Amino acid sequence: MITNKEPVTTYRISVLTDCLLRLEYQEAGHFMEDRTQIVENRVFPGVHYEVRRAAGADGRGRLIVETDGLLLTYDEKEFSAEGLSILVKSTGNVWHYGDHPSNLGGTARTLDTADGAIPLEDGLFSREGYAVLDDSKSAFIRLSDGQICPRSEAETDLYFFGYGTDYQRGLKDFYHLTGPVPMLPRYALGNWWSRFHRYTEEEYLRLVEDFAKEQVPISVAVIDMDWHITDPDPKYGSGWTGYTWNRELFPDPERFLQALHDRHLATTLNVHPADGIRVFEEMYPQMAEAVGIDPRSEDPVEFDMTDPSFRAAYFTYVNHYYEKMGVDFWWVDWQQGTKSRMEGIDPLWLLNHYYYQDQVDRKKRPMIFSRYAGPGSHRYPIGFSGDTCATWKSLEFQPYFTMTASNIGYGWWSHDICGHMHGRKNDEMMIRWLQLGVFSPIMRLHSTSNPFFIKEPWNQSPEMRRIMDRFMRLRHRMIPYTYTMNYRAYAEGIPLIQPMYYEHPENEDAYEVRNEYVFGSELIVGAITEETDPALRMAGVDMVLPEGRYYDLLNARIYRGGKRRKLYRTVEEIPVLLKAGGILVLGGQEYKEAGYALNDSGNPEVLEIYYGAGADGCFELYEDDGCTMEYLRESGRCITRIEIKQDPEKREIHVRVNPAYGNSAVLPKTRRVRVHVLGVKGKAGEERKAGEERKAGEEVLLSSEEFLPARGWSGVITDVEPARNDVRKLAFELLDRAWIEYDLKDTLYRGICEALEAAGDDREALRECIRKLQKEQDLAENLADALLELTEDA
C-alpha cells in the first residue's frame, strides 16, 4: 500500500494484482476498511511492484508505481486528469482520471417494458484494455455486527482493472474482490413453468399432470401473485402486495405444496413487498407487536428493510413460516424505485442482501429470484430480467444482453422466455425464443395474464408441439452438464455463458457476433433471432467458427473452423456446436411410463456422453446432493473423470469412465452409459451394441452394462474412419424444402451431383461449382450460401 505521510494521509494506492489497483482519496485520511455493497475481500496474494519518484514535464515530482502489467503516474494531489494516469502495458493505452473508454458493456437493472435493445451499464472491460469500478458511494457492512451503513464522508474509492484482453483473468480477480458466485440448487437448472394466471390448486396440479402426460419434465413451479389475496377492501389500498394465501383458490396450501414436492417440483411464490403488512394479513398481529404497533390501531406495518426489528419479524412470520409449509425460494418482485430510508442505499439491494443472508444464516443453500441491483449482485442469484415485450426485437437483444452480463460477473439471468406481453402471435418467434431459453442460464417460460398468451406445448400446432417437447426435454437432460458448469462458476469464476471474445480476444469478428456465445466448457451456440427466409424456408445466424473441427449436436453436421459465416437452420434447430475432443454429458431419459419421475433433477442412473471425434478429450463431471451447503466441503463433492482417446493407427476410440472419487454416496448405486461419437464411421466393440448412423456426419453408439460408479467402466469403438457431410443428401433436403421453381431445384441438384462425381472429396471444387451455378441461375444470396454451408466440413 502506498500513501503520503504528512501532514495528513490523503491518498492510498493498493496494488492488489499486477493489473488491479485500488485508488483512494479522502481529505481527512478516513479510508474504508469494511466490506461494502460491492467489495467483499481486498486480500490478494502478494505481487511484485516498484515505487519511485521522478520529475514530470512540469518539473514537479511524480509518484511512479510499476507492476508487470501497469505503470501509474500520480502528482499526489486530489485526483485529476492531469495528475493521475495509468499505462496498460499489454495494449499501450493510457487512462487519465475521468476517462471513459469504449466499454464492452455490463448489464442493466431490468428489461421491464423493453422492446429491443436498451443501454447497458459499464462492465470490467473495454477495447482500450481497462475499466474503472467506482465504489465511492456504496454502503458498507459494519464489521462488528453486519449492519448496513451509508458512508458518512465523501471519498473517492476506485478499482482500476487493466487486464487488456485477458478477460478470464480479470473476471476471476473481480470475483476474488467481490465474492464468489454461489452454487444454485440443482433443480434450478431444469424447466420452470410460470404464468401470471389465477390458478387454482386443482388447475395447477392438472397442469403438472398434463406435462407428465406430454413427457416433458419441469422442475420449478412458479406461483405468481394470485397465490395471495389480491382484492382487499379498497380502504387498505391495492392487492399488489400480499402475504396471505387466497384460500378460495388454494384451500389447503400445505397440501398443495406437498403435492408439488411429491411430483419432484420446487416452488417459488411471487411477492411485491412495497406496501408492507396490512391489517387483513394473517400475520398482522405478530408483525405489529414486533415493531411496536398496537394491533387494535390497524395501522399498517410499513415495509422497511433498514429496520432490524421489522426484518427479524418479517423473516420469522412470513418467510420462515411459509418455507416450513413448503415454499423453496422467493420471487422478490421489487418495482418501486431506488430510494430507501437509508440515504444512498437501493432498497432492491437491501432486499437481495437480506433475503439471501437470511438463508445463509440458517445453513440453507440460498437462492432468490430478483432484479439486478448493481455490481456485486452476482452474490445473490438468480436475476429476474423483468417483463419484456413479445417481439422479434426483444428476442434479438436477449442473447447479447445475457452474454455481456458476464462482463460484470452476472452469470445467472432468467428471462421471460417467449416474451411476457404485447407483441403479436408468431409461432416461429415462440420456438426461436424457446430454443434460446434452453441454452440460457435459466429456462423459465412466463407470460402475462392475457388469455391468448398460451405456451403449453399441447396447445400448439402439431409441428410446434413436437419441437417444444424436444427442446424442453433436452434442457432437462443437460442438467448434469449445466450443474457441472454451475460448480465451475463457483470454484473457478467462469460463467456458464461468455461472449466469443473471451476465448478469442484477438479475433475482431468475435466482438461483432451478437447472437453467438460459449455455453459452458464444451459448446458454442448460435441463437437464431430472425424470421425464416420465405423462399429458403430457413433462418440464419452470423457465427465465428474458431480454428478446429466442430459437430452440430442436433444434426451431427461437420464444420471446419477458422472462418466467419452464416449458419442456416429450419425452425426445428439452431446451431449447437461441440468441438473436436469435446465431451458433453447429459442425463439419459427413459420416457415410457415415467410419469412424474421425469421431473426429478437428481444425479441420473444413465449418462449420455457425446464426444466430438478428432482429438482426445477429458471432462470432469461434478455431482453433489444438489440442495445443501455441503458443496462448500471437499467431502460433499463427487467427481467422475471421463476420458476418451483416439488411436489413429489401430483406428480405435477408447472410452474410460474413471472410478468416481469423493462423496460417492450422492450417486446412484449403479450406472449405465451410452457414448455417442460424432464425426466418425465405425462400430462398437464386439461385446457392446452398435448404434445407428446419423444423417449429416456420422455417429456411432457404444452402450455399457450396469456398473458400480466406484469401479468405473471402459469400452472400445473399432474400425473408426473420419466421416464427411453427406452433401448429396443434405442438398436434396434443402432444395426439396425450398419454395423455388421445380426446374431450378432439378438444375441445381443435378449440377451438385455431377460436381460430387467429378470432384470426389475436393470441397473447393464443389464450392466453385455452386458459385458457378449461383451466377448462371442468378440465385438468391441466402440459397447459394446455404448450399455452400454444406461443404464446410473441409
Side-chain angles (χ1 to χ4, degrees), residues 626-753:
C627 60
T628 74
M629 298 295 278
E630 285 300 302
Y631 77 87
L632 296 173
R633 306 170 183 268
E634 188 173 350
S635 60
R637 310 168 194 152
C638 187
I639 304 291
T640 301
R641 184 179 177 87
I642 300 165
E643 298 173 294
I644 303 181
K645 298 182 178 181
Q646 292 193 234
D647 188 331
E649 292 185 3
K650 294 183 178 180
R651 298 168 57 214
E652 293 178 343
I653 294 177
H654 295 258
V655 181
R656 178 167 179 77
V657 179
N658 287 280
Y661 64 91
N663 184 17
S664 59
V666 302
L667 303 183
K669 292 181 179 179
T670 62
R671 266 196 160 144
R672 289 183 294 123
V673 297
R674 291 194 285 263
V675 183
H676 306 254
V677 182
L678 303 179
V680 297
K681 304 174 185 178
K683 62 182 181 181
E686 293 182 1
E687 77 280 9
R688 308 297 180 196
K689 296 185 296 183
E692 296 181 354
E693 295 183 347
R694 291 277 285 271
K695 63 184 181 181
E698 303 273 349
E699 175 190 325
V700 295
L701 174 67
L702 179 65
S703 297
S704 79
E705 305 298 336
E706 285 189 350
F707 64 91
L708 298 174
R711 292 187 178 179
W713 171 85
S714 63
V716 180
I717 299 171
T718 61
D719 299 335
V720 171
E721 295 180 9
R724 302 291 295 274
N725 287 339
D726 187 344
V727 176
R728 187 187 305 265
K729 182 179 181 182
L730 291 170
F732 183 88
E733 291 174 350
L734 187 155
L735 293 168
D736 182 52
R737 183 188 311 112
W739 284 356
I740 59 176
E741 294 84 356
Y742 286 111
D743 291 345
L744 178 58
K745 293 185 183 191
D746 184 56
T747 298
L748 295 175
Y749 185 63
R750 281 191 291 107
I752 290 171
C753 290

Side-chain angles (χ1 to χ4, degrees), residues 141-361:
I141 304 171
R142 195 160 55 205
L143 200 59
S144 59
D145 59 3
Q147 180 68 26
I148 310 297
C149 306
R151 297 199 187 205
S152 58
E153 296 179 282
E155 177 187 2
T156 300
D157 191 357
L158 309 178
Y159 292 84
F160 180 87
F161 286 75
Y163 287 84
T165 58
D166 195 348
Y167 306 120
Q168 297 276 17
R169 182 174 170 232
L171 193 55
K172 288 179 182 179
D173 286 344
F174 171 75
Y175 287 134
H176 187 98
L177 177 71
T178 60
V181 181
M183 281 196 72
L184 307 181
R186 191 176 176 98
Y187 62 74
L189 297 172
N191 295 301
W192 297 29
W193 177 261
S194 178
R195 188 181 181 192
F196 184 17
H197 176 72
R198 198 173 172 81
Y199 283 109
T200 65
E201 174 185 7
E202 179 182 3
E203 186 182 8
Y204 207 101
L205 294 179
R206 187 166 61 247
L207 171 85
V208 175
E209 180 181 0
D210 287 340
F211 269 107
K213 290 178 179 177
E214 192 75 7
Q215 298 183 334
V216 170
I218 52 174
S219 60
V220 176
V222 181
I223 317 298
D224 211 321
M225 60 179 286
D226 285 297
W227 71 270
H228 64 72
I229 294 171
T230 58
D231 57 350
D233 189 315
K235 70 181 181 181
Y236 300 121
S238 80
W240 199 247
T241 297
Y243 296 97
T244 301
W245 282 93
N246 184 335
R247 294 183 185 267
E248 291 182 5
L249 304 179
F250 300 95
D252 189 338
E254 194 165 1
R255 177 185 66 196
F256 171 61
L257 295 170
Q258 184 60 51
L260 291 174
H261 286 163
D262 291 343
R263 291 155 174 78
H264 304 284
L265 276 84
T267 306
T268 183
L269 302 183
N270 173 281
V271 288
H272 298 95
D275 289 339
I277 311 294
R278 292 165 288 179
V279 68
F280 60 86
E281 305 286 7
E282 290 179 351
M283 68 291 298
Y284 173 77
Q286 299 95 319
M287 287 291 302
E289 290 178 356
V291 298
I293 294 175
D294 183 347
R296 293 172 297 181
S297 71
E298 299 191 355
D299 290 342
V301 179
E302 294 187 23
F303 189 85
D304 183 8
M305 274 286 155
T306 67
D307 180 355
S309 61
F310 172 83
R311 283 199 310 272
Y314 180 82
F315 286 126
T316 298
Y317 298 119
V318 179
N319 286 26
H320 300 175
Y321 176 72
Y322 283 141
E323 288 172 35
K324 289 177 183 177
M325 187 180 287
V327 174
D328 294 285
F329 66 102
W330 295 91
W331 175 6
V332 184
D333 202 350
W334 180 264
Q335 300 169 308
Q336 280 70 40
T338 60
K339 304 295 184 182
S340 73
R341 291 189 174 180
M342 194 174 290
E343 184 179 356
I345 299 182
D346 186 344
L348 175 61
W349 186 86
L350 289 171
L351 276 163
N352 294 349
H353 176 78
Y354 283 124
Y355 258 78
Y356 206 85
Q357 192 61 44
D358 170 68
Q359 297 170 76
V360 171
D361 292 343

